[in-house]
Amino acid sequence: MQTLDEILKSRRDTRHFTSDAVPDAVIQKALQAGHWAPSVGLTDATKYYLITSDEIKKAVKELFLDYDSKAANQTDNKQQKADYKALKLEAIEEAPLGLVICYDRSVLNNFTIGTVGSNEAIKFSSVCAAQNIWLSLTAQGYSMGWISILNYYQFKQLLGLPEHIEPLGYFCVGKPATNYDNQPMLQQLNWKQKSESPFVEEINRMPTKNDFSPIVLKEKRDPKDGISEDLKFKIDNKAKPTGSLGILEKLAQQIGELFQTLEPKINQPNMVVFAADHGIAQHGVSAYPQDVTRQMVTNFLEGGAAINVFCKQNNIKLSIVDAGVNYDFSPNANLISAKIAKGTQSFLDKAAMSATELKMCFSKGAAVVDAIAKTGSNCIGFGEMGIGNTSTASVLMSIITKIPLEDCVGLGTGVSDAKLIQKQMILKKAIDNYQGSTDLDSQLAYFGGFEIMQMASGMLAAYQNNMLILVDGFICSVAFLIAHQKNPKIIENAIFCHCSAEQAHVKLLDYLGVQAVLQLGLRLGEGTGCAIAFPIIQSAVAFLNEMASFESAGVSSNA
């Protein structure tokens, strides 16, 4: 009989199996071992699904191959790519049994001990179960291989898993065909050597505190002497009547002053969509369920949303930021992870976020934009996605501007008139329940949304990087309002791309004293207004740089 140490040491991520069937008694004993694993709050959140169908195995294999090719293309050089392709990383069709180990997110709908600090704890419990299963199989002369190179969204669809069930991966189960010379396969093939002993270090003093300090605002340099006058002269002396290009002339003046040149250029425009969930959504303030946030982010990543279409049309790079969606996206998703938590709390009777979480928002939002600025981009648009965020934005607008709440609340995703009245009553009650400080940051933490705060921070960072800031609709304008409260000079960099169909938006633009480029009745969000307005902004730059003057065209400028 093997000792525990021997079992632990001989556990292998198996890729070669015999064709021997796995007896029911073996798998049932292993699954019972998984059930005995630690479970946070005794939630029993771990679920198991057995796969014996050749058709399903083949489909899972195709998912693997798709992502395996992407993994191969991310290797560092040709030799590493060749070495990677030579590895056997799965036995999906060869293994006699497939096992899908999952965790059930729905347990988080009720208070669960151990998950308040981290919703990830239920996932950790399932990983403990996977390890127990592995050890039990090893002790019984069988083994398991973990396949994680998959598109998890497609994987869930293929298996027909409920939305709240999240897989750790696909596990191949069977009798091992080799013991790999008692070494991990990757080590045996010299891909990488496992260290002989674990990393251990004692922490005996408190580290320097990271307070996630907000952006330190710096004074930008003074404009070059006469640049404003020179730009006005250049614009007025184009071969056209003075002022005849309307708002294009104002945009050209603004952009030239911002970049301090008579020949401005927009470089590598980037549209950034921040997404997060809102606790207030649980009170029925939206026409859509909260999970639509996750669904739409997935749609962004798959290229099927309106913002994808318009960014592609106008050659704008699109970046998607997970600021706090109530979902675990795959680590290999084309997503910027800036998650604070899986959605805010409901501010109906408690703070949406803590003071620390607010500081984290300002830190992470700035970092996203700073990274984009380093790529050479000098133009950034802001968009958002988050069911319930018009409610959050309406409350923030009201408490900052002192405009009555009724004038700040609109239809959002398209609620009915009856729902609108209910929405107003819920939000008014939330404001009446607030007993906190009147300082701005306290109110932002209590009523804010992760994506709105990160946008506000990102806008401030864009100002610091001297970028042109494109502001989308109502919610993005509320984020700008917050940034403007922090630094009024940010208005110099901002272009308000459209006035949305949300009734509060025109009031907010009037409050800021700005004019929107477009009036199209949009209320989609996602940054669509920015992407649609971008060709007009390019036209302003184009006429400034390329249109002939009266003199160069030989046209008389006399009236």
Side-chain angles (χ1 to χ4, degrees):
M1 180 178 178
Q2 292 177 295
T3 66
L4 177 60
D5 284 352
E6 289 173 329
I7 294 171
L8 289 170
K9 192 173 181 181
S10 63
R11 184 203 67 73
R12 294 286 172 263
D13 197 5
T14 302
R15 306 301 186 198
H16 298 82
F17 295 92
T18 69
S19 59
D20 298 352
V22 181
D24 288 344
V26 170
I27 190 63
Q28 291 305 319
K29 185 175 181 180
L31 294 178
Q32 184 62 53
H35 190 62
W36 287 333
S39 174
V40 62
L42 298 178
T43 53
D44 278 346
T46 307
K47 312 292 183 186
Y48 307 104
Y49 300 88
L50 300 178
I51 308 294
T52 57
S53 163
D54 290 338
E55 180 184 9
I56 295 176
K57 288 179 182 179
K58 182 179 179 181
V60 174
K61 175 72 173 282
E62 290 174 354
L63 287 183
F64 165 82
L65 291 174
D66 180 44
Y67 260 47
D68 187 53
S69 63
K70 293 179 181 179
N73 291 331
Q74 292 177 9
T75 49
D76 295 330
N77 51 60
K78 289 184 178 179
Q79 184 58 51
Q80 190 182 50
K81 184 175 184 177
D83 291 344
Y84 176 86
K85 287 185 172 182
L87 296 173
K88 180 175 174 56
L89 296 177
E90 53 79 33
I92 296 169
E93 292 185 286
E94 299 98 307
L97 179 65
L99 170 64
V100 184
I101 304 176
C102 303
Y103 59 98
D104 184 351
R105 284 194 302 119
S106 69
V107 301
L108 296 170
N109 293 336
N110 301 304
F111 173 72
T112 303
I113 294 174
T115 62
V116 175
S118 172
N119 287 336
E120 301 285 286
I122 58 170
K123 181 193 293 186
F124 304 155
S125 298
S126 296
V127 173
C128 289
Q131 178 76 333
N132 272 20
I133 293 169
W134 228 321
L135 296 174
S136 175
L137 287 169
T138 302
Q140 298 180 77
Y142 291 80
S143 192
M144 190 162 77
W146 190 337
I147 311 300
S148 58
I149 304 176
L150 300 164
N151 179 309
Y152 276 64
Y153 178 66
Q154 291 177 306
F155 185 45
K156 284 181 62 173
Q157 284 188 319
L158 187 157
L159 299 177
L161 295 178
E163 185 53 45
H164 55 90
I165 299 295
E166 303 294 346
L168 296 181
Y170 183 93
F171 296 82
C172 302
V173 180
K175 185 176 282 293
T178 175
N179 66 358
Y180 304 103
D181 292 335
N182 286 318
Q183 291 181 332
M185 185 192 71
L186 294 181
Q187 180 169 315
Q188 183 187 27
L189 297 176
N190 296 315
W191 179 267
K192 190 174 183 180
Q193 298 300 306
K194 187 178 180 70
S195 59
E196 290 293 329
S197 56
F199 169 85
V200 182
E201 180 179 303
E202 181 182 359
I203 298 176
N204 51 27
R205 63 186 178 86
M206 295 288 287
T208 303
K209 184 179 180 182
N210 183 356
D211 61 0
F212 301 102
S213 300
I215 300 166
V216 177
L217 298 176
K218 300 174 291 186
E219 286 294 324
K220 292 198 296 185
R221 70 184 188 280
D222 292 332
K224 295 176 183 176
D225 292 339
I227 188 69
S228 296
E229 290 78 8
D230 290 346
L231 279 165
K232 188 175 187 308
F233 179 84
K234 183 177 181 181
I235 292 168
D236 288 347
N237 280 274
K238 294 294 184 182
K240 60 172 181 59
T242 301
S244 59
L245 284 179
I247 197 170
L248 293 184
E249 298 189 19
K250 295 180 181 179
L251 291 174
Q253 180 83 27
Q254 178 185 4
I255 295 169
E257 288 179 358
L258 175 62
F259 296 142
Q260 292 294 289
T261 176
L262 297 177
E263 296 181 347
K265 293 181 180 179
I266 294 178
N267 300 321
Q268 300 181 47
N270 200 310
M271 185 71 229
V272 189
V273 180
F274 291 79
D277 277 306
H278 294 250
I280 195 66
Q282 70 191 50
H283 303 291
V285 294
S286 172
Y288 291 91
Q290 186 184 81
D291 191 56
V292 170
T293 305
R294 189 277 306 164
Q295 293 172 11
M296 283 306 302
V297 171
T298 301
N299 196 20
F300 298 154
L301 298 177
E302 294 180 346
I307 189 59
N308 299 95
V309 173
F310 297 137
C311 282
K312 182 178 180 181
Q313 175 191 10
N314 296 313
N315 198 27
I316 304 170
K317 179 177 173 57
L318 177 61
S319 302
I320 309 299
V321 180
D322 176 8
V325 180
N326 185 21
Y327 185 76
D328 293 317
F329 292 99
S330 172
N332 53 17
N334 187 22
L335 188 71
I336 299 172
S337 180
K339 192 190 291 287
I340 306 299
K342 290 183 177 177
T344 58
Q345 299 294 308
S346 169
F347 57 70
L348 183 58
D349 50 19
K350 56 181 173 288
M353 68 183 82
S354 67
T356 298
E357 287 175 327
L358 176 64
K359 291 178 180 179
M360 289 173 66
C361 284
F362 272 82
S363 175
K364 291 191 173 188
V368 168
V369 173
D370 285 341
I372 291 171
K374 288 178 181 177
T375 67
S377 172
N378 66 356
C379 176
I380 185 166
F382 289 85
E384 45 64 41
M385 178 62 218
I387 294 301
N389 64 6
T390 55
S391 293
T392 301
S394 296
V395 171
L396 291 171
M397 174 182 167
S398 181
I399 63 176
I400 293 173
T401 65
K402 308 304 179 187
I403 294 174
L405 179 66
E406 293 78 10
D407 293 331
C408 300
V409 179
L411 297 176
T413 49
V415 296
S416 64
D417 290 342
K419 276 262 191 179
L420 177 60
I421 295 173
Q422 178 189 355
K423 181 178 177 180
Q424 290 175 343
M425 292 174 61
I426 289 170
L427 299 183
K428 186 176 187 306
K429 182 179 178 182
I431 294 176
D432 291 343
N433 287 344
Y434 180 63
Q435 301 296 321
S437 172
T438 57
D439 70 280
L440 179 61
D441 282 357
S442 295
Q443 292 175 326
L444 294 180
Y446 195 93
F447 295 107
F450 294 140
E451 84 282 29
I452 295 175
M453 297 305 118
Q454 289 195 20
M455 281 194 295
S457 172
M459 290 172 182
L460 290 168
Y463 173 81
Q464 292 296 306
N465 285 289
N466 206 47
M467 302 173 82
L468 186 63
I469 300 170
L470 308 185
V471 185
D472 191 38
F474 172 57
I475 295 151
C476 289
S477 295
V478 170
F480 182 87
L481 172 67
I482 294 165
H484 187 262
Q485 292 290 302
K486 301 277 187 180
N487 183 9
K489 287 189 176 182
I490 196 174
I491 202 85
E492 300 167 1
N493 293 55
I495 293 176
F496 294 82
C497 293
H498 77 108
C499 183
S500 83
E502 277 292 306
Q503 63 133 357
H505 196 200
V506 66
K507 296 180 175 66
L508 182 52
L509 296 180
D510 288 344
Y511 178 87
L512 291 166
V514 296
Q515 180 183 1
V517 175
L518 298 173
Q519 301 270 353
L520 297 177
L522 305 176
R523 57 179 180 86
L524 177 58
E526 304 177 7
T528 48
C530 297
I532 293 170
F534 185 69
I536 296 174
I537 296 167
Q538 286 182 308
S539 296
V541 174
F543 101 77
L544 179 63
N545 291 336
E546 301 173 25
M547 185 176 176
S549 65
F550 282 114
E551 182 179 2
S552 66
V555 176
S556 174
S557 61
N558 296 324

